[in-house]
Amino acid sequence: MRTIEIKNTEGKLLFTHSCDNNTTRITLEKAVSEHTNLRGADLEDADLRDANLEDADLRDANLEDVILIDTNLTVADLTDAKLKGAWLKNAVLRGANWTFTDLTGADLTGADLKDANLEGVYLDGANLTDANLKGTYLRVADSRTN
């Protein structure tokens, strides 16, 4: 039996889960399925590829350098999240809220951002090759004001 805790950036426990062969991905999926508020979660460097995080509340989360390849983040709320250097190749991000999210250097190759809200997003050095931006609200933040 392996126990994994998800804490916020200040060290406060947000969620804990125990099971055989537990991973951060399994624990996070369990938290999302239970509609846990994961605001401010610190998941830096986590491998969350292929995770189902549909409708996740990850506002203010630290997701820097996280692997989210082929992950489902449909209608997730990532307002003010930090995803610098994150890998979001082929991720499903339909209808997600990315308001003021930092995607500096993120790889969104082939990501599906249909109908997503990218108001005030930071995209310096981000790769959006072959990304689906149909219906996306995009207003990039001016990085010079940071």
Side-chain angles (χ1 to χ4, degrees), residues 91-132:
V92 179
L93 314 168
R94 289 176 169 244
N97 186 0
W98 296 83
T99 305
F100 302 114
T101 298
D102 189 347
L103 289 163
T104 303
D107 188 349
L108 293 123
T109 303
D112 186 354
L113 290 150
K114 184 176 187 230
D115 299 323
N117 180 3
L118 289 130
E119 180 180 0
V121 71
Y122 295 91
L123 289 169
D124 291 344
N127 184 350
L128 291 160
T129 303
D130 296 324
N132 178 6

Side-chain angles (χ1 to χ4, degrees), residues 1-5 16-27:
M1 186 79 64
R2 182 170 180 218
T3 301
I4 293 180
E5 297 177 336
T16 187
H17 179 65
S18 299
C19 70
D20 292 334
N21 302 313
N22 200 9
T23 64
T24 302
R25 190 192 99 230
I26 290 169
T27 299

Side-chain angles (χ1 to χ4, degrees), residues 58-100:
L58 290 164
R59 292 172 289 162
D60 299 311
N62 179 7
L63 298 161
E64 291 188 25
D65 298 315
V66 168
I67 299 171
L68 292 161
I69 297 169
D70 297 316
T71 296
N72 179 8
L73 284 158
T74 302
V75 299
D77 191 348
L78 291 125
T79 301
D80 291 315
K82 292 156 196 69
L83 284 102
K84 289 182 179 179
W87 293 78
L88 293 142
K89 288 183 177 182
N90 302 315
V92 179
L93 314 168
R94 289 176 169 244
N97 186 0
W98 296 83
T99 305
F100 302 114

